[in-house]
Every structure is written in C-alpha cells, then in structure tokens.
Amino acid sequence: MAINFRKNAAKALKQDDIQINLKNVVSRLRDHRSAAFTDAALFEQLRLECKSIRERAVFRLPRLLEQLEGNLLRNGIQVHWAETTLQANQIVLDIMQRHQATFLVKGKSMVSEEMGINAFLASHGIECLESDLGEFIIQLANEKPAHIIVPAIHKNRKQIASLMHKYFPEMPYSEDIDILAAKARYFLRDKFCNAPVGMTGVNFMVAETGTLCLVENEGNGRMCTTVPPVHIAVTGIEKVIERLDDLPPLLSMLVRSATGQPITTYVNMISSPRREGEQDGPEEVHLVLLDNGRSNICGDMELQETLHCIRCGACINHCPVYRQIGGHAYDTVIPGPIGAILEPQKAGMDRYGELTQASTLCGACSEVCPVKIPIPKIINRLRWEAVRQDTCNVSGSCPARKPLEAVIWKIWSQVCSNPGLYRLLAQLVTRLRNCIPAAIWQGWTIARTPPKPARTTLHERLKAKGIDYE
Amino acid sequence: MNDTRKAILNRLNHYQLKYSGIESDAKAKQTDWGLEEKVKRFTARMQAVQAEVHEASLETWPEVLQEICHAKAINNLLASPSTRWGKEIYADAKRFPSLKRFQQPVEAWKTDFFNTIEAAVTGSAGGIAETGSLILCPDMQEPRTLSLVPPIHIALLEKKRIYNTLSEAIHQQNWVQTGMPTNVILISGPSKSADIEQTMTYGVHGPKELIILLV
Ligand code: SF4
C-alpha cells in the first residue's frame, strides 16, 4: 500500500512541540558538525577519498562479500544470508530458539528496525530490549525512531521525564538529564548481565580481515557484543569495505558528520568470538547479511550511488523539509533525503514514490554528504522514473503519471517547439493577466503571492527598445 | 540458505558494472608530530571528553595509581596478575585496595563482577594523538569486559606508543599481515550520551570514569 505522505506531513506540521524540539536539536547537530569541519579544502579532499572508497566497494560488491564471508568463517564468525526481512527474522528466531533464549538486549541498529525484529520476536514470545538511551526511550513510548542517529530527537526532557516516571514509578520524578540516563543504566545493567543473546547492527565490515566495526558512545553496544554468550549482528550487504586502510577515513567522516565529535567513545572492531583460553566475549558470533532490495539498486550507474551511504544523518539534519515535518511523517525506516531516495528503490516506487516529492531540491543534503551522494540528482531521476512511459528502471510500477498532466505537458512541448504558437500564447497571457482564475494555482498560493504575468511579452519589450534578434 | 546466498551473489554479478579503477589520489596527508606534541594532543582530546590524564614515569606510576585509588576511595581493584603492569601491582599489593582477578570465565561470577567490582586497571596497546584514543586489544590476561563493566577504568599507556593517527597504528601494529586481534577497541573517554536534547551526560552504560596513566 502506498504511504500517505501528504497527510502525514500535514499532521506533523500541526504539532508545535515536535517542531520546536526538532529545531533545537537539529540546529545543535548542525553547529557541532560545522565546528568539526573548519577547513573546507581538507573536507573536500576527505570527501573525495571517502567517495572513492565507497564507490570501489559497491563496484566490487559480490567479490568483497565472498571475501568477507571467507575471512569471517575462518575467524569463527557464522554468516547467514537473507533475501527478505522475513528470512532475516527467521534466522534470528532459529538462533534464539536453539539457545532457548527468551529475550535479547539490543544495540541501536537501523537494519533491525527495517526487519521489524522487535514485533516479530514478540509474536514468538521473545522480548527485545533496546539499550541505546534514545532507543530505550522510544521503546518505552512505543514509537518508532524519528532520526537515524538521535532516535528520540522529537522528545524533550519533560516528555522523557514523565515517560520514565510512568514506567519506573519507584524512582523519584526528575527532569535532570544525568538522572534520566542513570535510570536507564540502573534498569539495563541487570539485563546486560543476564541476557542470553545480544544483537547489534554494524557500521562497516572489512572484507580483507573479516572484521565487524561498530561505533557508539554509551557502551551499550559493547555490552551487547561482549557480555551475552551469543552475539548476532544484522546488517545490509552494502556495508562492506575492501581494506582495513579504508576504515580510518570513513570512520572519521562518519562520526564528524553525524555529531561533530572527532571520534565516538567506542570503536569496536570484532574479528572473532571468544578464543580458547579467553575469559569472556561471546562463544558464538553470527552475522546476518540482508539484501531486501539492495542488490537491485546495483544495476544502474546513477542510482547505485544510493548504496554509498554510510548513514551519518547529516543530510537529514540539513534538510528543510525534514526540519519542518520530522521523521515520522516519512513513514519509513530511514527518513530525510537519504530515505527519500533509498526507500522507494528498495520497497518500490508504488509504495514510497511520493517521498521523492519531499524535497525542494535545494541541494543542502549533497553539500554535506561525506561520500558526495548527489541526492537531488537522484531525486530528479526517480521523479522521472515515476512518470516515464517506457520501461521503469526502479522496482514498483510507474503509477505517478496522470493522464491530464500528460496531456498538459504534451501541449506545453508543442507550444515551446513552435515559435509562432509560443508568441501567440505569450501575448494572450499578458493581455489576459487580470483574468487568470485563482483555481489553477491550487495549493501553491496558500502561503505565496500568485505570480502575475507582465503587461507585455519580453519580445515586445525588446522590440520597443529597438532590439530585434530575428 | 545456500540458495539465498547464490541468488544474491548471482544478481550482483549480473548487475556488476565496470569499475573505472580510478582511485582518488586525495589521501589525507599523514601527520607527523613529535613525541611531546603527540602527548599534548592526546591529553587535550582526552580531557575534552572528561577523561583524566596523569603523567607518571616507569618508576613513579605505582605511587600515582595508589594516590588515585585513595582519592577515589576505591575499595577493590580488578587487575591481571600476569601482565607487565599487573606483576608490579601484585608484587606490592599492600599499597592498593583489595586486588581482584579474573580467575575464571566471566559466566562463573557475572553477577558479582557487575555488582561489586569498583575499578579495573589495564594496559593498552597504544594511543592515538589525533583523536585522543586508547587502543586496547583484550586477550587472555586482560579480558574484554575489564574496560567495560567496572565503573572506573584506569589504563596505563606508554607515551612512546602514542601514534599520530589510526592509520599509523594499523600499519605499525601490522594488523592486516598478522591477523586482527579478537577484539580491538578504541576508547576515547568515559561512556557518554547526548540522546536527550543533544545534551551530554557521562557514565551511561560503560565506565563513568576513564583515568589514564601516561608513563
Ligand atoms: S546520504 Fe550522505 S549525508 Fe545522508 S546519511 Fe548517507 S552518507 Fe550521510
């Protein structure tokens, strides 16, 4: 079913608190980011380097995945492939059942959101406990993340305080952020200690060494990958990079673009489960590689760049549309500009095609993107894919072509390719400038003054000045 | 399972486009700071994220460690008896709080470990000046959880093992050629979060304090 983006957006625009919370946090994120990139030339250089690393990785994707798999297996990490989210969920369920596990602790992972693992496992009587502070809050509120880096971006401390108080009435009410975090620590510590399974996402997978790399600040990710006897990592197939040498520049760009920090508190590089003689670490490490529409994006030079994304969230923070409507209006796992190009390609234009309209094409996203993805260009391309008549290169049919629109554009192209006709029409419009019915502007003039044609055409004015090009 | 793998790889191979092979020659220039500069940068970065950095020497560090334990009123200290630093600590055990060791796999004493250990001391495989990070490669002597579970983590770092950048560390430590350690962890400060209103709070799930002894 197609989403109803317009309705969602209109609803979000009416929620003042969302807008205020969003604006505050988004502008802080942007300030932090720009403070981390003071040298424009160096930034551009790093961007080029990172772009070429990601480009190389996606071009060599099948080979790198096989190399990665070989090295992971050699290191003792089990590898599973999943075509769909259902398959991925089933793989996780099998592992859980094999260990008779009734719950797992989870680090922040957008792919696990994509899988909808929490609901899936719940339907089998297994609980997933979010442990990232933001995700923990979202789970208490029974909502979905509104941002890929800051999941609870739309909530302020007051809302969080009352939420925590509702669930932990035995702890005194407080709006102090240190105390709110301490409550989460207190509650989750015991869970980390007893969890039979930990689940996380992955930020980068290094093919050359068979290494899973995760970044985080809180330590909950490390808890999930280290303390429980089983660790399951879930991720998309495009997260692979070729060499260990590719990691430092990407890490640096990812973290700085996301939050402006020079590095996260923890960079966790996992290459093997607990080895003989070691006293801790998981006995089993599993990696679930999810396709779910990703490989289909590889067939097109231009669209393929979508897969270069390293999920830093910078484009989201700089998007004027996101800033107004927030993450939930997109009704996708990934919101913002990257969501608007990724989700329609993965799940089909018929479902998410409308998201390509969620852009003013201002270009702020591609200006900050650390791997230089030309997002507006891809949005334009997808808009075209949605209405082209021949074949459509993107999954989902091309439902956006309206017959009336098609006729209008046909007439327009006729007019524009015939000088006589064009002049006639231009003259007509200038003469009838006071009689244009308001209805033709539709929604455009709700917040804008309607444009009014000039008294005379450009040709006429030039002629009056004695300039004649013919 | 195998069919899925084959299907995905087949599709990717089918789609595979020609790679131009042109690598951007834009490589971040390698920095090379002197020892003093590296120490300065490392320290400044660490302090900016609320880590404590203490300068000591190969002779004085036990004394500094003792003072820290005293100042923080630490009642017990988890340390390995078999590392270079651990041997010295155990040889002079009476100056430190009650010493605890990882004698058995974590499963055997998880609850105790989580609830009673106040601080742990570890060595480190190096440091990174550019980002202010410790490099830890946990092993049999110093398990992964030493630097994660106790509320206070004290790490010893030799100044001469501070690298300029992560890239330099990767090359100097030969990770690609000799095979990656089981788990490499870069640690830059105590655990923190800005998930509520982008306001920083320290000590979320990992250690609340990170203390570095530079020797
Ligand atoms: S598209 Fe670029 S800016 Fe947006 S999340 Fe991905 S890497 Fe970051």
Side-chain angles (χ1 to χ4, degrees):
Chain A
M1 242 241 317
I3 52 157
N4 197 335
F5 175 65
R6 271 161 220 271
K7 207 172 112 206
N8 296 342
K11 203 170 108 202
L13 285 172
K14 291 200 190 96
Q15 291 170 300
D16 288 344
D17 52 340
I18 290 193
Q19 302 219 354
I20 295 164
N21 298 346
L22 264 180
K23 266 182 207 145
N24 285 339
V25 178
V26 165
S27 59
R28 261 186 225 175
L29 283 166
R30 289 165 43 157
D31 292 348
H32 292 161
R33 180 195 161 274
S34 60
F37 294 114
T38 41
D39 184 336
L42 199 66
F43 172 64
E44 201 46 44
Q45 203 181 20
L46 252 173
R47 243 156 61 106
L48 277 172
E49 187 184 351
C50 290
K51 178 190 157 85
S52 88
I53 291 173
R54 288 298 297 142
E55 193 171 68
R56 170 159 45 81
V58 172
F59 270 118
R60 297 180 178 163
L61 199 51
R63 214 195 73 205
L64 294 187
L65 284 170
E66 282 183 280
Q67 186 189 6
L68 174 79
E69 182 188 42
N71 284 330
L72 285 172
L73 292 175
R74 221 191 40 219
N75 293 348
I77 295 179
Q78 304 179 41
V79 182
H80 311 262
W81 301 71
E83 189 86 76
T84 60
T85 54
L86 184 69
Q87 280 180 10
N89 283 331
Q90 195 59 49
I91 291 166
V92 176
L93 179 65
D94 287 347
I95 300 172
M96 296 296 291
Q97 286 176 338
R98 191 144 35 82
H99 290 273
Q100 292 166 348
T102 54
F103 80 104
L104 60 77
V105 282
K106 217 175 112 190
K108 197 164 87 61
S109 146
M110 292 318 289
V111 171
S112 77
E113 290 290 336
E114 176 179 344
M115 289 158 59
I117 186 86
N118 295 12
F120 177 83
L121 287 183
S123 71
H124 289 85
I126 295 170
E127 189 190 8
C128 294
L129 258 171
E130 297 287 351
S131 64
D132 168 85
L133 183 55
E135 293 280 353
F136 179 71
I137 294 164
I138 291 302
Q139 192 174 33
L140 288 183
N142 197 15
E143 288 178 21
K144 287 190 173 157
H147 190 286
I148 62 173
I149 304 290
V150 196
I153 193 167
H154 55 301
K155 294 208 177 299
N156 60 32
R157 68 173 82 191
K158 278 201 173 65
Q159 294 164 323
I160 295 167
S162 48
L163 197 62
M164 289 238 185
H165 192 61
K166 189 172 140 204
Y167 283 92
F168 308 110
E170 67 283 4
M171 300 187 221
Y173 178 89
S174 170
E175 287 174 15
D176 185 300
I177 289 178
D178 292 339
I179 294 178
L180 290 172
K183 284 185 180 180
R185 177 185 173 106
Y186 176 79
F187 173 76
L188 283 166
R189 220 164 153 78
D190 190 40
K191 308 287 180 195
F192 288 133
C193 181
N194 296 311
V197 176
M199 176 185 267
T200 64
V202 177
N203 293 97
F204 302 104
M205 311 184 276
V206 185
E208 172 182 52
T209 55
T211 301
L212 310 178
C213 179
L214 284 71
V215 300
E216 54 138 354
N217 283 321
E218 295 177 12
N220 67 308
R222 278 185 69 199
M223 285 283 184
C224 295
T225 66
T226 312
V227 180
V230 180
H231 169 214
I232 306 173
V234 294
T235 197
I237 51 170
E238 83 283 16
K239 289 277 175 70
V240 67
I241 54 176
E242 187 169 11
R243 307 192 273 254
L244 193 60
D245 265 341
D246 294 337
L247 187 64
L250 285 175
L251 261 183
S252 167
M253 279 302 251
L254 168 65
V255 180
R256 286 196 284 171
S257 302
T259 60
Q261 309 173 78
I263 193 164
T264 46
T265 306
Y266 302 113
V267 176
N268 185 357
M269 298 179 233
I270 301 165
S271 303
S272 137
R274 180 188 308 195
R275 284 194 185 139
E276 176 112 9
E278 289 181 345
Q279 310 279 38
D280 67 4
E283 307 269 4
E284 274 179 33
V285 178
H286 298 266
L287 174 71
V288 180
L289 289 169
L290 175 65
D291 184 336
N292 195 26
R294 289 167 172 82
S295 55
N296 280 329
I297 305 178
C298 285
D300 186 289
M301 272 302 244
E302 189 177 29
L303 299 175
Q304 197 189 53
E305 292 195 54
T306 314
L307 294 178
H308 296 174
C309 173
I310 55 174
R311 302 284 191 275
C312 71
C315 58
I316 302 177
N317 302 334
H318 287 75
C319 177
V321 176
Y322 177 88
R323 230 153 49 227
Q324 296 302 326
I325 63 173
H328 289 155
Y330 290 80
D331 205 1
T332 50
V333 175
I334 314 260
I338 177 64
I341 59 171
L342 180 67
E343 303 285 1
Q345 294 186 68
K346 269 173 54 195
M349 291 295 285
D350 40 358
R351 184 166 159 76
Y352 287 125
E354 206 183 355
L355 291 183
T356 58
Q357 304 298 324
S359 172
T360 63
L361 301 182
C362 71
C365 48
S366 54
E367 241 167 62
V368 294
C369 177
V371 288
K372 280 177 88 83
I373 301 177
I375 299 177
K377 220 172 104 198
I378 297 179
I379 288 180
N380 245 335
R381 167 72 190 280
L382 291 175
R383 286 180 183 178
W384 175 68
E385 291 286 347
V387 295
R388 67 191 281 195
Q389 277 167 304
D390 45 358
T391 55
C392 183
N393 257 346
V394 184
S395 70
S397 53
C398 315
R401 192 178 181 85
K402 297 187 191 134
L404 180 66
E405 257 177 33
V407 172
I408 292 173
W409 287 117
K410 189 133 213 181
I411 297 173
W412 180 246
S413 86
Q414 290 279 321
V415 169
C416 287
S417 49
N418 182 333
L421 205 58
Y422 181 83
R423 282 190 190 188
L424 191 71
L425 195 80
Q427 277 185 12
L428 207 67
V429 170
T430 52
R431 299 311 179 267
L432 297 176
R433 58 201 284 269
N434 290 321
C435 319
I436 295 171
I440 74 163
W441 304 119
Q442 296 193 2
W444 182 254
T445 50
I446 292 174
R448 297 180 185 85
T449 343
K452 199 168 180 189
R455 219 175 287 275
T456 48
T457 69
L458 184 65
H459 279 115
E460 289 171 329
R461 284 206 265 167
L462 287 175
K463 216 170 192 170
K465 285 196 173 176
I467 307 168
D468 195 347
Y469 281 108
E470 283 159 309
Chain B
M1 224 284 299
N2 254 334
D3 291 347
T4 311
R5 174 184 185 277
K6 226 194 251 156
I8 296 173
L9 288 174
N10 277 348
R11 203 159 45 238
L12 287 171
N13 275 317
H14 170 75
Y15 283 144
Q16 208 179 6
L17 301 162
K18 275 270 158 301
Y19 173 52
S20 60
I22 303 166
E23 295 242 353
S24 151
D25 45 8
K27 284 267 184 299
K29 58 175 185 335
Q30 271 301 330
T31 21
D32 195 5
W33 296 303
L35 180 67
E36 222 170 283
E37 181 67 17
K38 284 193 281 193
V39 171
K40 211 175 97 200
R41 284 179 184 260
F42 175 87
T43 308
R45 282 286 195 207
M46 275 293 187
Q47 285 170 342
V49 285
Q50 313 255 310
E52 280 180 35
V53 182
H54 298 263
E55 295 242 8
S57 68
L58 280 174
E59 289 74 43
T60 60
W61 71 263
E63 211 173 300
V64 181
L65 178 61
Q66 182 187 5
E67 280 162 26
I68 292 169
C69 292
H70 184 74
K72 308 246 171 222
I74 294 170
N75 290 311
N76 56 44
L77 185 63
L78 185 61
S80 162
S82 45
T83 60
R84 170 181 167 197
W85 314 110
K87 279 187 192 136
E88 282 195 54
I89 294 174
Y90 278 83
D92 208 359
K94 58 185 180 313
R95 62 194 303 178
F96 299 108
S98 134
L99 294 175
K100 306 277 178 196
R101 61 177 86 175
F102 237 106
Q103 273 163 327
Q104 46 199 337
V106 68
E107 287 73 26
W109 68 303
K110 241 184 198 174
T111 317
D112 241 20
F113 178 32
F114 266 72
N115 296 317
T116 61
I117 300 294
E118 295 179 18
V121 57
T122 70
S124 46
I128 300 168
E130 186 183 44
T131 51
S133 315
L134 280 173
I135 306 171
L136 260 63
C137 302
D139 55 15
M140 289 190 216
Q141 276 78 40
E142 290 190 334
R144 310 180 191 198
T145 42
L146 273 194
S147 60
L148 176 65
V149 173
I152 300 178
H153 173 208
I154 306 167
L156 283 134
L157 169 63
E158 285 173 281
K159 285 183 202 164
K160 62 168 196 272
R161 300 185 79 170
I162 301 181
Y163 304 100
N164 293 285
T165 58
L166 174 58
S167 294
E168 195 194 9
I170 289 174
H171 285 267
Q172 296 285 326
Q173 303 221 347
N174 259 326
W175 285 339
V176 176
Q177 291 74 18
T178 57
M180 288 288 280
T182 341
N183 190 197
V184 177
I185 303 157
L186 311 183
I187 300 180
S188 312
S191 139
K192 64 178 186 285
S193 173
D195 269 353
I196 305 177
E197 296 188 355
Q198 270 296 294
T199 305
M200 206 53 92
T201 172
Y202 286 89
V204 187
H205 296 299
K208 297 177 180 185
E209 291 183 59
L210 174 67
I211 301 164
I212 295 149
L213 288 185
L214 282 177
V215 296

